[in-house]
DNA sequence: GAATAATATTTCTTATATGGAAATATTATA
DNA sequence: TATAATATTTCCATATAAGAAATATTATTC
């Protein structure tokens, strides 16, 4: 129950730099100096000076001809290293590929960071509709299948802490926003061994999630996701069957 | 021939932060405060303060229990955005997958940035030996098949500029380190339509590279790479045949 | 389990980097 | 060619940063 006291953060330039990087990252197009400085409470000269250093560092890529700025390839490079640092990705790959082939739907791998699910790997089926999910992107524990699968394993104490620090905001009409109801749902998940996201996290998408927990160590979770219209009783049963098999196989393979 | 005059860079904290990120990125293991501060000319308190801000920004991930620091998942997330921003990746994917299947070897896609090749995509064959290459990693123009394929298209003027600013360092015994010889090699590449890296860029690896240039616009290049022992006359001819076909197909598909 | 060593963290003060208004240069547009 | 819009540079009052030293917290040794 540690109250986080507001500490003044060091490194004003760093914080400003992060703002600039975020603005540029959020844009799908390269931006000009004006476009950037208009979106942040920083004067144009300062923005320019920071951008130059960011370019020098490789965080930002400059198109000198068009005078526009875009994210640098260092994110690509270091992103690969981050992915590689989670060896759960490498060790689950073959299992999840098989699951993808068995279900013909998209299979996701997530880890927990800061009480959120970070999408670490995604195996798309050839016929998959493009989902609104990106490797490295994050989602709520309470609204996603992977998150709920893991939440279900929390000690009552930890779950209370999580709930106390989290407001259950609705992402779709189906999102569970009542803590009581969520706890009931988690009980069911414990019993059944899998979690269902019944269009609770993003429109039209139905997921089944499975935790990857062994000896009280949370390795992460995986899920099968499909557009709701493709999931009927038959298909759903397949998800459960192959998902549980996969979970068992992965856990057995983890030292 | 613009001489770059040494400009003092703005943002000392930013430059220090980059050093810390690099130190952490270069390490395969999470590092402690001491391990980090020992590798940079910055005092421990300052390192700590910068790390905290980096953690706040998401660039660094802290393991509070072990008091260690590692790269943050923001690199994963933004790395995906960088990759997505190069639509050459999406538009060449199917062609390069086919090429991978035809040759049964690893196929690489690169772009040019700052007179270096940046590896943007890599399609590994099931039987591929793990190569020393990472998405986001860079290589020389002069020693790589993709780089030479592009260099061969340079105007004499631009080539001279490149050579004037680049020292041809040997990466293997086969690397071409003589500018005259390199220029001869580039002439051959122009004539044949493909570039060969005969173990010039990394030990044991043989590559054939093809430019992706249309209407004087350099989209990038792709290459087929294989351990040298697997490449005989027959196999090599296949690389050329399928590679040239793939190049033509990609260029035709590019608007 | 106490003593010691090693590392992490906080405090505080001077020197330094910073921010942005205003001036100027450079493009784009009419 | 004139005008508007954006990019870039200059400069200095002021906020920020750096690190020595003190302190706290771990880890290690006996």
């Amino acid at each position: 129950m540690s109250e986080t006291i507001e500490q003044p953060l060091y490194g004003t330039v760093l914080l400003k730099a992060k703002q600039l990087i975020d603005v540029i990252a959020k844009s799908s197009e390269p931006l000009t100096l004006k476009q950037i400085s208009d979106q942040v409470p920083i004067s144009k000269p300062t923005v320019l000076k920071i951008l130059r250093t960011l370019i020098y560092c490789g965080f930002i890529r400059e198109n000198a001809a068009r005078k526009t700025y875009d994210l640098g390839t260092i994110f690509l490079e270091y992103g690969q290293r981050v992915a590689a640092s989670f060896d759960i990705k490498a060790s689950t790959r073959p299992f999840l590929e098989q699951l993808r082939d068995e279900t013909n739907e998209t299979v996701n791998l997530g880890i927990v960071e800061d009480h959120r699910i970070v999408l670490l790997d995604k195996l798309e089926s050839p016929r998959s509709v493009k989902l609104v999910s990106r490797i490295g992107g994050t989602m709520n524990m309470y609204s996603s299948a992977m998150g709920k699968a893991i939440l279900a394993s929390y000690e009552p104490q930890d779950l209370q802490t999580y709930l106390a620090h989290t407001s259950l905001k609705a992402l779709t009409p189906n999102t569970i926003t009542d803590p009581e109801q969520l706890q009931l749902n988690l009980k069911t998940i414990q019993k059944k061994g899998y979690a269902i996201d019944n269009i609770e996290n993003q429109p039209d998408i139905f997921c089944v999630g499975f935790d990857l927990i062994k000896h009280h160590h949370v390795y992460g979770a995986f899920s099968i996701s499909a557009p709701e219209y493709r999931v009927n009783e038959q298909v759903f049963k397949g998800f459960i069957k192959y998902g549980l098999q996969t979970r068992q196989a992965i856990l057995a393979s983890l030292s």
Side-chain angles (χ1 to χ4, degrees), chain A:
Chain A
M1 285 292 104
S2 66
E3 277 301 314
T4 320
I5 294 151
E6 274 304 316
Q7 278 263 353
L9 266 170
Y10 170 99
T12 55
V13 181
L14 205 43
L15 294 166
K16 291 189 180 78
K18 176 59 166 32
Q19 289 184 64
L20 302 187
I21 290 172
D22 283 345
V23 165
I24 292 168
K26 257 87 202 170
S27 160
S28 48
E29 299 277 294
L31 298 175
T32 65
L33 175 60
K34 179 162 176 31
Q35 290 172 320
I36 297 166
S37 67
D38 279 353
Q39 292 183 60
V40 291
I42 311 169
S43 75
K44 225 181 329 170
T46 302
V47 170
L48 180 62
K49 280 182 271 187
I50 296 173
L51 283 177
R52 283 196 182 133
T53 306
L54 286 174
I55 291 163
Y56 172 83
C57 292
F59 289 115
I60 299 292
R61 193 156 34 100
E62 183 187 23
N63 187 327
R66 296 172 185 236
K67 295 187 186 258
T68 58
Y69 303 91
D70 208 341
L71 279 190
T73 48
I74 195 175
F75 285 103
L76 252 187
E77 185 181 354
Y78 285 5
Q80 296 290 320
R81 294 189 197 220
V82 172
S85 78
F86 294 100
D87 41 334
I88 187 72
K89 183 182 165 184
S91 48
T92 56
R93 249 293 163 118
F95 298 102
L96 298 182
E97 278 175 348
Q98 191 187 333
L99 182 59
R100 188 249 336 255
D101 295 340
E102 285 164 347
T103 60
N104 250 310
E105 293 293 353
T106 297
V107 171
N108 311 284
L109 174 67
I111 53 166
V112 181
E113 187 177 301
D114 220 0
H115 303 288
R116 290 182 65 75
I117 297 290
V118 179
L119 187 65
L120 189 62
D121 203 1
K122 185 166 74 161
L123 298 125
E124 297 198 44
S125 81
R127 63 168 185 166
S128 83
V129 179
K130 273 267 173 274
L131 303 190
V132 191
S133 71
R134 260 192 169 147
I135 289 175
T138 68
M139 48 191 125
N140 300 316
M141 300 280 283
Y142 68 83
S143 61
S144 64
M146 290 193 280
K148 292 199 294 180
I150 290 172
L151 272 186
S153 75
Y154 271 32
E155 297 292 327
Q157 180 69 61
D158 294 337
L159 182 60
Q160 288 311 318
T161 308
Y162 172 77
L163 290 172
H165 288 275
T166 313
S167 69
L168 308 179
K169 286 177 198 140
L171 300 182
T172 72
N174 287 10
T175 308
I176 301 175
T177 56
D178 174 27
E180 302 282 324
Q181 207 189 325
L182 181 61
Q183 283 178 276
L184 275 178
N185 188 207
L186 295 179
K187 283 249 159 59
T188 310
I189 294 168
Q190 277 174 24
K191 221 175 301 168
K192 304 229 178 189
Y194 57 83
I196 290 173
D197 153 16
N198 184 32
I199 323 182
E200 298 162 34
N201 195 55
Q202 53 180 287
D204 304 323
I205 302 298
F206 177 92
C207 293
V208 187
F210 306 83
D211 71 86
L212 291 173
I213 300 176
K214 189 178 183 179
H215 302 142
H216 295 278
H217 180 71
V218 178
Y219 288 93
F222 67 93
S223 71
I224 307 159
S225 57
E228 186 257 345
Y229 68 82
R230 272 213 297 262
V231 184
N232 56 34
E233 191 63 24
Q234 176 92 24
V235 169
F236 175 67
K237 280 191 180 157
F239 287 0
I240 306 299
K241 178 185 161 197
Y242 291 119
L244 288 174
Q245 279 175 9
T246 302
R247 178 172 175 279
Q248 195 162 28
I250 291 174
L251 289 182
S253 78
L254 292 174
S255 53

